[in-house]
Amino acid sequence: MARDNTESSKEVSEVEKVMMSRFANRFYLHREVDLEAITGILNAARYAATGGNVQPWRVYVLAGAAKTALADAIATAHETASGEHKSEYNYLPAPLPEPFASRRNEFASVFYGSLGIAQEDMAARAVQSARNCRFFDAPVGLIFTIDRRLEKGSWLDLGMFIQNIMLAAKARGLDTCTQEFLSRYHAVIRTQLPLAAEELVVCGMSMGFGDPEWARRRPQMPKAPLEEFASLHGF
Ligand SMILES: Cc1cc2nc3c(=O)[nH]c(=O)nc-3n(C[C@H](O)[C@H](O)[C@H](O)COP(=O)(O)O)c2cc1C
Protein backbone atom coordinates (compact mmCIF):
# COMPACT_ATOMS: atom_id res chain seq x y z
CA MET A 1 0.00 0.00 0.00
CA ALA A 2 1.42 3.42 -0.89
CA ARG A 3 2.46 5.87 1.78
CA ASP A 4 1.44 9.50 1.92
CA ASN A 5 3.59 11.74 -0.18
CA THR A 6 3.58 14.76 2.09
CA GLU A 7 6.58 16.22 0.20
CA SER A 8 4.18 17.22 -2.54
CA SER A 9 2.44 19.43 0.04
CA LYS A 10 4.22 22.48 -1.49
CA GLU A 11 1.24 22.77 -3.75
CA VAL A 12 -1.48 22.10 -1.21
CA SER A 13 -3.49 24.57 0.79
CA GLU A 14 -3.11 25.21 4.50
CA VAL A 15 -6.30 23.27 5.12
CA GLU A 16 -4.95 20.29 3.20
CA LYS A 17 -1.71 20.44 5.19
CA VAL A 18 -3.71 20.26 8.41
CA MET A 19 -5.72 17.34 7.01
CA MET A 20 -2.56 15.44 6.07
CA SER A 21 -0.72 16.12 9.31
CA ARG A 22 -3.51 14.90 11.59
CA PHE A 23 -2.97 11.46 13.03
CA ALA A 24 -4.45 9.43 15.87
CA ASN A 25 -2.19 10.34 18.75
CA ARG A 26 -2.05 8.15 21.83
CA PHE A 27 0.83 9.94 23.58
CA TYR A 28 0.35 13.34 25.19
CA LEU A 29 2.21 15.89 27.26
CA HIS A 30 0.94 16.80 30.73
CA ARG A 31 0.02 20.26 29.53
CA GLU A 32 -3.41 21.75 30.07
CA VAL A 33 -5.57 23.01 27.22
CA ASP A 34 -7.21 26.43 27.63
CA LEU A 35 -10.97 26.64 27.73
CA GLU A 36 -10.68 29.28 25.00
CA ALA A 37 -9.06 26.77 22.64
CA ILE A 38 -11.81 24.23 23.38
CA THR A 39 -14.61 26.70 22.74
CA GLY A 40 -12.87 27.92 19.57
CA ILE A 41 -12.64 24.36 18.25
CA LEU A 42 -16.27 23.57 19.09
CA ASN A 43 -17.41 26.86 17.59
CA ALA A 44 -15.71 26.03 14.28
CA ALA A 45 -16.88 22.40 14.32
CA ARG A 46 -20.56 23.34 14.56
CA TYR A 47 -20.37 24.64 10.97
CA ALA A 48 -20.18 21.04 9.72
CA ALA A 49 -22.66 20.26 6.97
CA THR A 50 -25.62 18.14 7.97
CA GLY A 51 -28.45 16.66 5.95
CA GLY A 52 -31.47 18.91 6.50
CA ASN A 53 -29.32 20.96 8.92
CA VAL A 54 -30.47 18.72 11.77
CA GLN A 55 -27.09 18.99 13.58
CA PRO A 56 -27.53 15.68 15.39
CA TRP A 57 -24.48 15.80 17.69
CA ARG A 58 -23.95 16.27 21.38
CA VAL A 59 -20.53 16.39 22.91
CA TYR A 60 -19.38 16.33 26.53
CA VAL A 61 -15.93 17.83 27.04
CA LEU A 62 -14.11 16.97 30.23
CA ALA A 63 -10.91 18.17 31.86
CA GLY A 64 -9.42 18.17 35.35
CA ALA A 65 -11.36 16.38 38.08
CA ALA A 66 -14.33 15.64 35.80
CA LYS A 67 -12.11 13.83 33.30
CA THR A 68 -10.26 11.97 36.04
CA ALA A 69 -13.52 10.80 37.65
CA LEU A 70 -14.86 9.45 34.35
CA ALA A 71 -11.52 7.84 33.43
CA ASP A 72 -11.29 6.19 36.87
CA ALA A 73 -14.82 4.81 36.57
CA ILE A 74 -14.18 3.43 33.08
CA ALA A 75 -10.79 1.99 34.05
CA THR A 76 -12.34 0.23 37.07
CA ALA A 77 -15.10 -1.26 34.91
CA HIS A 78 -12.52 -2.36 32.33
CA GLU A 79 -10.29 -3.99 34.94
CA THR A 80 -13.05 -5.72 36.88
CA ALA A 81 -15.88 -6.54 34.47
CA SER A 82 -14.94 -5.75 30.89
CA GLY A 83 -17.05 -8.67 29.63
CA GLU A 84 -20.22 -7.11 31.02
CA HIS A 85 -19.94 -3.98 28.89
CA LYS A 86 -20.96 -3.83 25.26
CA SER A 87 -21.39 -1.00 22.81
CA GLU A 88 -24.94 -0.19 21.73
CA TYR A 89 -23.92 -0.53 18.08
CA ASN A 90 -21.54 -2.57 15.93
CA TYR A 91 -18.63 -0.59 14.57
CA LEU A 92 -17.38 -3.28 12.19
CA PRO A 93 -18.88 -6.59 11.06
CA ALA A 94 -17.39 -9.92 12.07
CA PRO A 95 -15.85 -11.37 10.04
CA LEU A 96 -14.46 -8.25 8.42
CA PRO A 97 -14.35 -8.70 4.61
CA GLU A 98 -11.40 -7.84 2.37
CA PRO A 99 -9.71 -5.48 1.74
CA PHE A 100 -10.69 -4.11 5.13
CA ALA A 101 -9.40 -7.03 7.22
CA SER A 102 -5.94 -6.72 5.65
CA ARG A 103 -5.87 -3.00 6.31
CA ARG A 104 -6.82 -3.52 9.94
CA ASN A 105 -4.14 -6.20 10.33
CA GLU A 106 -1.59 -3.88 8.78
CA PHE A 107 -2.60 -1.13 11.23
CA ALA A 108 -2.08 -3.49 14.18
CA SER A 109 1.27 -4.67 12.88
CA VAL A 110 2.52 -1.11 12.18
CA PHE A 111 1.21 0.38 15.43
CA TYR A 112 2.15 -2.39 17.87
CA GLY A 113 5.42 -2.93 15.98
CA SER A 114 6.33 0.71 16.59
CA LEU A 115 5.87 0.08 20.33
CA GLY A 116 8.01 -3.06 20.22
CA ILE A 117 4.94 -5.25 20.83
CA ALA A 118 4.70 -8.46 18.79
CA GLN A 119 1.35 -8.84 17.06
CA GLU A 120 0.68 -12.15 18.84
CA ASP A 121 1.53 -10.72 22.28
CA MET A 122 -2.09 -10.26 23.35
CA ALA A 123 -1.20 -9.40 26.96
CA ALA A 124 0.98 -6.44 25.92
CA ARG A 125 -1.64 -5.34 23.40
CA ALA A 126 -4.29 -5.43 26.13
CA VAL A 127 -2.17 -3.15 28.34
CA GLN A 128 -1.86 -0.62 25.50
CA SER A 129 -5.56 -0.95 24.67
CA ALA A 130 -6.52 -0.31 28.31
CA ARG A 131 -4.95 3.15 27.96
CA ASN A 132 -8.12 4.05 26.04
CA CYS A 133 -9.91 4.15 29.42
CA ARG A 134 -7.85 7.10 30.59
CA PHE A 135 -8.08 8.96 27.28
CA PHE A 136 -4.42 7.99 26.72
CA ASP A 137 -3.57 10.39 29.61
CA ALA A 138 -4.56 13.37 27.46
CA PRO A 139 -5.69 16.43 29.45
CA VAL A 140 -9.05 16.59 27.66
CA GLY A 141 -11.56 13.82 27.05
CA LEU A 142 -14.65 14.10 24.89
CA ILE A 143 -17.74 11.91 24.67
CA PHE A 144 -19.92 12.06 21.54
CA THR A 145 -23.55 11.00 21.56
CA ILE A 146 -26.31 10.89 18.99
CA ASP A 147 -30.07 10.66 19.39
CA ARG A 148 -30.87 6.96 18.98
CA ARG A 149 -34.07 7.77 17.07
CA LEU A 150 -32.03 9.09 14.14
CA GLU A 151 -30.90 7.02 11.16
CA LYS A 152 -27.59 6.27 9.42
CA GLY A 153 -27.64 9.64 7.63
CA SER A 154 -27.23 11.50 10.91
CA TRP A 155 -24.28 9.30 11.82
CA LEU A 156 -22.58 10.64 8.67
CA ASP A 157 -23.20 14.14 9.99
CA LEU A 158 -21.74 13.26 13.37
CA GLY A 159 -18.62 11.96 11.61
CA MET A 160 -18.21 15.29 9.85
CA PHE A 161 -18.56 17.13 13.16
CA ILE A 162 -15.93 14.86 14.73
CA GLN A 163 -13.58 15.38 11.79
CA ASN A 164 -14.06 19.15 12.09
CA ILE A 165 -13.05 18.93 15.74
CA MET A 166 -9.93 16.93 14.88
CA LEU A 167 -8.90 19.40 12.16
CA ALA A 168 -9.65 22.54 14.18
CA ALA A 169 -7.66 21.03 17.06
CA LYS A 170 -4.73 20.19 14.75
CA ALA A 171 -4.74 23.73 13.36
CA ARG A 172 -4.27 24.94 16.95
CA GLY A 173 -1.38 22.54 17.57
CA LEU A 174 -3.52 20.01 19.43
CA ASP A 175 -3.63 16.31 18.66
CA THR A 176 -6.57 13.94 19.02
CA CYS A 177 -7.51 10.29 18.97
CA THR A 178 -11.10 9.32 18.31
CA GLN A 179 -12.09 6.30 20.45
CA GLU A 180 -14.91 3.91 19.63
CA PHE A 181 -13.50 1.76 22.48
CA LEU A 182 -15.30 4.01 24.96
CA SER A 183 -18.76 3.33 23.50
CA ARG A 184 -18.85 -0.03 25.28
CA TYR A 185 -18.75 1.80 28.63
CA HIS A 186 -21.91 3.82 27.97
CA ALA A 187 -23.51 2.59 31.22
CA VAL A 188 -20.52 3.84 33.21
CA ILE A 189 -20.50 7.12 31.27
CA ARG A 190 -24.17 7.57 32.25
CA THR A 191 -23.24 7.45 35.93
CA GLN A 192 -20.88 10.41 35.40
CA LEU A 193 -22.61 12.56 32.78
CA PRO A 194 -26.20 13.79 32.43
CA LEU A 195 -27.09 11.85 29.27
CA ALA A 196 -30.75 11.80 28.24
CA ALA A 197 -32.31 8.36 27.70
CA GLU A 198 -32.33 8.85 23.92
CA GLU A 199 -28.62 9.64 23.75
CA LEU A 200 -26.47 6.80 22.42
CA VAL A 201 -22.73 6.95 23.14
CA VAL A 202 -21.00 6.73 19.75
CA CYS A 203 -17.39 7.32 20.71
CA GLY A 204 -14.96 9.35 22.76
CA MET A 205 -11.90 11.37 21.89
CA SER A 206 -8.62 12.26 23.57
CA MET A 207 -7.25 15.73 22.97
CA GLY A 208 -4.09 17.50 24.05
CA PHE A 209 -0.60 18.56 23.10
CA GLY A 210 1.16 15.56 21.58
CA ASP A 211 4.43 14.24 22.94
CA PRO A 212 7.04 15.61 20.46
CA GLU A 213 9.26 12.58 20.98
CA TRP A 214 6.46 10.29 19.77
CA ALA A 215 5.69 12.67 16.89
CA ARG A 216 9.30 12.22 15.72
CA ARG A 217 9.34 8.45 15.78
CA ARG A 218 5.71 7.53 15.19
CA PRO A 219 4.91 5.37 12.16
CA GLN A 220 2.85 6.87 9.37
CA MET A 221 -0.29 4.80 9.02
CA PRO A 222 -0.48 3.35 5.50
CA LYS A 223 -3.17 5.03 3.41
CA ALA A 224 -4.59 3.49 0.26
CA PRO A 225 -3.57 5.40 -2.88
CA LEU A 226 -6.16 7.19 -5.01
CA GLU A 227 -6.28 4.38 -7.57
CA GLU A 228 -7.62 2.03 -4.89
CA PHE A 229 -10.68 4.06 -3.99
CA ALA A 230 -11.32 6.71 -6.64
CA SER A 231 -12.61 6.35 -10.17
CA LEU A 232 -12.16 9.48 -12.27
CA HIS A 233 -14.15 10.05 -15.44
CA GLY A 234 -14.34 12.75 -18.09
CA PHE A 235 -11.16 14.66 -17.18
C1 LIG B 1 -14.48 6.68 14.60
C2 LIG B 1 -13.09 6.23 15.02
C3 LIG B 1 -12.94 5.43 16.13
C4 LIG B 1 -11.65 5.08 16.57
N1 LIG B 1 -11.51 4.35 17.72
C5 LIG B 1 -10.29 4.14 18.24
C6 LIG B 1 -10.15 3.53 19.52
O1 LIG B 1 -11.13 3.16 20.18
N2 LIG B 1 -8.90 3.41 20.02
C7 LIG B 1 -7.79 3.81 19.33
O2 LIG B 1 -6.68 3.66 19.84
N3 LIG B 1 -7.89 4.37 18.10
C8 LIG B 1 -9.12 4.57 17.56
N4 LIG B 1 -9.24 5.18 16.34
C9 LIG B 1 -8.05 5.64 15.62
C10 LIG B 1 -7.76 4.75 14.41
O3 LIG B 1 -7.14 3.58 14.81
C11 LIG B 1 -6.88 5.56 13.45
O4 LIG B 1 -7.58 6.68 13.00
C12 LIG B 1 -6.47 4.71 12.23
O5 LIG B 1 -5.64 3.66 12.62
C13 LIG B 1 -5.77 5.55 11.17
O6 LIG B 1 -4.66 6.20 11.71
P1 LIG B 1 -4.49 7.78 11.65
O7 LIG B 1 -5.73 8.38 12.28
O8 LIG B 1 -3.25 8.04 12.47
O9 LIG B 1 -4.38 8.16 10.23
C14 LIG B 1 -10.51 5.52 15.86
C15 LIG B 1 -10.69 6.31 14.72
C16 LIG B 1 -11.96 6.67 14.31
C17 LIG B 1 -12.12 7.55 13.10
Side-chain angles (χ1 to χ4, degrees), residues 45 48-50 57 155-165:
T50 59
W57 44 76
W155 286 61
L156 287 178
D157 301 339
L158 175 63
M160 295 186 209
F161 177 68
I162 292 171
Q163 176 76 348
N164 266 4
I165 289 183

Side-chain angles (χ1 to χ4, degrees), residues 58-196:
R58 275 204 72 84
V59 61
Y60 298 82
V61 189
L62 294 92
K67 195 216 79 175
T68 304
L70 178 62
D72 285 350
I74 294 173
T76 301
H78 187 68
E79 280 156 25
T80 58
S82 65
E84 289 168 24
H85 296 268
K86 194 175 177 307
S87 178
E88 292 195 85
Y89 72 100
N90 287 328
Y91 194 91
L92 291 170
L96 189 58
E98 290 297 342
F100 315 112
S102 295
R103 289 180 185 158
R104 183 172 59 178
N105 286 341
E106 193 180 17
F107 153 71
S109 130
V110 169
F111 177 60
Y112 291 112
S114 72
L115 297 177
I117 298 173
Q119 229 182 328
E120 58 283 0
D121 187 348
M122 298 320 272
R125 284 176 62 161
V127 170
Q128 168 58 31
S129 178
R131 296 188 60 242
N132 270 285
C133 300
R134 298 192 177 280
F135 295 95
F136 299 109
D137 303 310
V140 179
L142 298 89
I143 298 292
F144 295 92
T145 72
I146 197 162
D147 190 313
R148 67 180 73 247
R149 294 168 299 181
L150 296 172
E151 294 285 358
K152 278 182 185 163
S154 295
W155 286 61
L156 287 178
D157 301 339
L158 175 63
M160 295 186 209
F161 177 68
I162 292 171
Q163 176 76 348
N164 266 4
I165 289 183
M166 291 194 279
L167 297 181
K170 190 72 200 171
R172 287 170 181 263
L174 291 161
D175 283 347
T176 53
C177 183
T178 303
Q179 298 173 254
E180 57 95 10
F181 173 99
L182 294 172
S183 68
R184 74 185 77 160
Y185 292 108
H186 57 92
V188 179
I189 292 168
R190 276 182 194 287
T191 66
Q192 304 287 318
L193 298 174
L195 268 60

